[in-house]
Amino acid sequence: MLSSVVDRVQRRTRLGKHGWAVLGVAFGVVLLLDLVRRLLSGDLTVALLVGYLWNGLTYGLVIGLAGVGLSLTYDLLEFANFAHGDYITVSAFVGWGAAYLIAGFGRFDPGSLFFLGVGGTLYPGDVGVSVTTAPVAILGGLVVAAAAGAVVAVTLDRVVYRSMRGMDAISLLIASIGVAFVLRYLTIYVFTQQAFGLTVSAWTYGVALPGGTVNVSAPTLLLVASSLAAMAGVHLLLTRTKLGKAMRAMAANRSLARVTGIPSERVILATWLIGGALAGLAGFMIALLQGTITYQIGWTLLLLVFAGVIMGGIGSVYGAIVGGVLIGLITRVSLVWIPASFTEAMGFLIMILILLTRPQGLFGGETA
């Protein structure tokens, strides 16, 4: 679908692929020269730029982590799962409910803890949940969030998507939108539609640089370590295990894979488990990074996840990782030039420029 739009734009503008490539390179050079000018003139400090890069990396790793799960399910089932963002939301709420239960066990009512104090019965400061004051609770919540994401993904596959195997991608996409709305309003019903804080202050180390200090906090370090470990695990799974080889075989040619004896339903089940678990990790981590949670946390992230997956190359797991990190860096570094409310638009603009020059994405997945 996007490839036809890209071709139409290229024809009507008469620039073609190479013309857009030249325009994109020129745009990048202008931004780079202006960045250097700002640094030399003092309008932008090294500390501020490094802070943007660090924040962009941490944000991009969450996008990439969620993108890996989305890319895996797309690779095997060949449809864009718009409910993926709400897998992130549900997992985040369940994971943080578990973290509160662990941190406040024996001191507060279990129901109030699991429902994160909805109704004003307790507050984050009462429980004292943070990476440094309650590390066991945070790690436990992280594990529960991953498990919750896997359970939600597999359950919905058994209930909804399994009966629709073989249908066209549009039907599956529409079904996933319906699933997304059901999950979203269920979350509102069980929890709340209000945004509220989750954590208290955690350990932070200030790195002194020219022009200021860059703060590196315990939550961001945990996020980076967990994201890299999860991505490394996916890489080893795909390249070193029999399941990974079966998944790659099905992605390449599902019919041929079945003929050779690969149990397709088991592979699909495993794919949903992995994709859902990664969505759960991403949901818990984005809430940890922001310090707040809301029923729209997954939907907001999903738009950037799709942008990262498309930029990296649809169907490419490694492209999803790189695309997610690039989207994160772009949205944060663009604060040098534009207000915060427009940074996500800059990420989509760069994605469009890349697609106009390379419709299959950076890592050469399927044509977008």
Side-chain angles (χ1 to χ4, degrees), residues 252-298:
N253 191 320
R254 190 184 304 180
S255 300
L256 182 59
R258 286 174 177 170
V259 170
T260 57
I262 292 176
S264 59
E265 279 301 321
R266 290 184 185 178
V267 174
I268 290 172
L269 176 65
T271 303
W272 280 115
L273 279 169
I274 297 167
L278 293 175
L281 289 175
F284 190 90
M285 284 299 176
I286 191 63
L288 177 65
L289 183 65
Q290 296 176 350
T292 59
I293 193 168
T294 173
Y295 75 96
Q296 291 184 319
I297 192 170

Side-chain angles (χ1 to χ4, degrees), residues 43-198:
D43 292 341
L44 176 68
T45 64
V46 173
L48 186 59
L49 178 59
V50 172
Y52 287 154
L53 290 170
W54 174 249
N55 292 335
L57 175 64
T58 54
Y59 192 44
L61 283 173
V62 175
I63 297 171
L65 192 65
V68 171
L70 186 64
S71 185
L72 283 173
T73 52
Y74 179 89
D75 223 8
L76 262 70
L77 303 175
E78 298 180 348
F79 83 100
N81 181 20
F82 270 78
H84 194 76
D86 292 278
Y87 295 177
I88 292 172
T89 301
V90 172
S91 303
F93 273 97
V94 173
W96 278 100
Y100 268 52
L101 274 173
I102 296 171
F105 184 76
R107 296 187 292 136
F108 300 96
D109 175 64
S112 296
L113 286 169
F114 182 76
F115 293 105
L116 306 176
V118 172
T121 54
L122 61 87
Y123 299 93
D126 300 328
V127 186
V129 179
S130 76
V131 174
T132 48
T133 60
V136 175
I138 295 294
L139 293 176
L142 188 63
V143 172
V144 171
V151 169
V152 169
V154 170
T155 301
L156 289 170
D157 176 61
R158 302 293 99 170
V159 174
V160 180
Y161 301 127
R162 187 177 187 178
S163 62
M164 299 180 69
R165 300 268 200 271
M167 288 190 179
D168 60 279
I170 297 297
S171 299
L172 287 165
L173 185 147
I174 293 172
S176 73
I177 293 174
V179 169
F181 277 113
V182 170
L183 289 176
R184 196 170 310 164
Y185 287 108
L186 183 62
T187 303
I188 293 173
Y189 179 78
V190 173
F191 292 93
T192 178
Q193 66 181 49
Q194 301 296 323
F196 53 91
L198 285 174

Side-chain angles (χ1 to χ4, degrees), residues 208-232:
L209 291 172
T213 302
V214 176
N215 293 321
V216 179
S217 64
T220 56
L221 290 177
L222 176 63
L223 186 154
V224 171
S226 301
S227 299
L228 292 178
M231 291 173 182

